[in-house]
Amino acid sequence: MRKGILSIGAAAAALTLGLTACGGESGDTSAQSSGAPSSAAAGDAKPGKIGVILPDSKSSARWETADRKYLEEAFKAAGVQYDIQNAQGDKTAFQTIADQMITNGATVLMIVNLDSGTGKAVLDKAKSQGVATIDYDRLTLGGSASYYVSFDNTAVGKLQGEGLVKCLTDKKADKPIIAELNGSPTDNNATLFKQGYDSVLQPKYDSGDYKKGPDQSVPDWDNTQAGTIFEQMLTQEPKIAGVLAANDGLGNAAISVLKKQKLNGKVPVTGQDATVQGLQNILAGDQCMTVYKAIKKEADAAAQLAVSLAKGEKPQASGTVKDTEGNRDVPSVLLEPQAIYFDNVKDVVADGFVSKDELCTGDFADKCTKAGIS
Ligand code: BGC
């Protein structure tokens, strides 16, 4: 894994977004709904249209259940025209959607890239046509986005590493063998997550406290492939005693395999995204922790930037992130993640990210009560 791909600029301690020229009034409350672009009449004072491309709907539930919803809410509240589409993991479709958005009058393009290469092509083309660009959640290495909005992804990985250590300590595991199920090798975030958790786990391997077991990336964060990969890991190393899974989907894939061996609950598994499935796995005792990223804050920060850009302003982000491939400091907003264990699953509900109704179904009702979710 490449080191130092992303470092946080000096000013990044201040995570709030400062906007220089946000006094403009939108004068329009009609929001453009997804998938039905319309063009503003000439001379219309409406802010330019904002196009958002989400990556897929399978690598994590978040994109459709959280990001789309919160972005939509923010754009509606600002009264801007917008179009949010999902490339469903298809790189060609990603490019086509971007082209269509620009043809349909988008003046701001926000993307979650499927990999840096195709992301860069889209960003460069948009830029050449005068369209302002934002990297949302994933930094496009060597890209040209004017802004980057995400979480501190190395911190996410650290929480996962520390979480696994905590759960193994609770289980009094002796020299546990650790399996690492990493995210997509083409996602810069996956690299950062790994840097984070390896900064916690490597010293344990070095000291002999833990034994390093199989360590593999999952192409495109594909949950089905993750199951196959983990099944092979467990065959090759049946004594795996802890699983660092990079998100809830990969964690669930590992849990399904562990269940077949009746090892679920005995082998702690990590995750990320605080999905309903991940939280239910925690309530059931099959998953040790997840990382909650308050996506509403991420969506709000990105939407605020996008709206400002659509009004022709030049917003200022308070931090920067280094894109070492492009040797560029990208103006950035980075938010703080939070570790979630059985005892604070209730925080995620209290924050409104998941509802009690969707979480506490069937057998989970009892467990929710035990976890203090009322
Ligand atoms: C995001 C995670 C997500 C993963 C798979 C990463 O870039 O930061 O939240 O679980 O992609 O979609």
Side-chain angles (χ1 to χ4, degrees), residues 37-328:
S38 73
S39 52
D44 195 323
K46 275 178 188 166
K49 198 184 290 170
I50 298 164
V52 179
I53 314 179
L54 300 172
D56 63 66
S57 48
K58 290 191 184 151
S59 66
S60 172
R62 64 167 283 183
W63 307 115
E64 284 300 324
T65 62
D67 296 272
R68 178 189 287 275
K69 178 179 77 181
Y70 292 129
L71 285 168
E72 227 162 53
E73 281 173 11
F75 293 143
K76 278 187 183 152
V80 293
Q81 296 186 84
Y82 65 92
D83 182 15
I84 304 175
Q85 295 199 36
N86 191 315
Q88 303 297 0
D90 182 334
K91 288 166 199 163
T92 311
F94 198 100
Q95 176 78 63
T96 311
I97 293 169
D99 289 344
Q100 280 166 357
M101 284 176 168
I102 295 170
T103 306
N104 289 335
T107 59
V108 182
L109 188 64
M110 195 194 294
I111 67 162
V112 185
N113 74 51
L114 287 169
D115 64 29
S116 282
T118 52
K120 177 179 165 52
V122 165
L123 293 170
D124 288 355
K125 194 165 173 187
K127 193 179 175 192
S128 75
Q129 299 184 42
V131 173
T133 50
I134 300 173
D135 264 334
Y136 182 66
D137 202 72
R138 299 176 180 166
L139 181 68
T140 302
L141 296 175
S144 56
S146 309
Y147 299 90
Y148 173 50
V149 179
S150 192
F151 283 81
D152 178 340
N153 292 304
T154 315
V156 169
K158 255 191 210 141
L159 292 178
Q160 294 173 317
E162 288 162 3
L164 189 61
V165 170
K166 178 182 156 14
C167 299
L168 287 164
T169 308
D170 290 351
K171 290 201 178 304
K172 302 191 182 6
D174 186 34
K175 297 202 176 25
I177 299 174
I178 311 297
E180 294 187 22
L181 206 49
N182 312 303
S184 175
T186 58
D187 180 352
N188 182 55
N189 285 347
T191 307
L192 299 171
F193 301 146
K194 185 164 174 58
Q195 280 172 10
Y197 48 76
D198 280 349
S199 74
V200 177
L201 297 175
Q202 194 58 49
K204 300 263 178 202
Y205 300 147
D206 292 343
S207 68
D209 282 353
Y210 290 5
K211 193 168 169 242
K212 187 168 168 60
D215 178 0
Q216 243 177 283
S217 295
V218 179
D220 302 323
W221 296 90
D222 183 297
N223 291 193
T224 312
Q225 276 195 63
T228 311
I229 292 172
F230 187 72
E231 193 130 39
Q232 285 160 1
M233 287 179 167
L234 200 59
T235 308
Q236 174 202 328
E237 183 49 90
K239 289 196 179 134
I240 287 171
V243 184
L244 192 309
N247 79 358
D248 285 353
L250 304 189
N252 187 65
I255 289 166
S256 304
V257 175
L258 289 168
K259 276 183 178 162
K260 291 194 227 158
Q261 310 290 332
K262 303 215 167 19
L263 286 170
N264 55 309
K266 294 186 180 133
V267 176
V269 178
T270 64
Q272 171 182 186
D273 289 343
T275 59
V276 169
Q277 184 181 59
L279 294 171
Q280 288 182 335
N281 281 337
I282 293 179
L283 291 173
D286 292 340
Q287 185 171 325
C288 127
M289 60 89 66
T290 186
V291 178
Y292 171 49
K293 303 192 292 191
I295 291 170
K296 182 176 177 0
K297 288 192 188 141
E298 186 182 20
D300 282 348
Q304 201 186 342
L305 278 171
V307 169
S308 178
L309 287 166
K311 291 178 185 165
E313 299 165 354
K314 283 197 168 37
Q316 253 187 10
S318 50
T320 59
V321 156
K322 184 91 178 170
D323 166 7
T324 50
E325 206 152 302
N327 195 23
R328 196 168 73 93

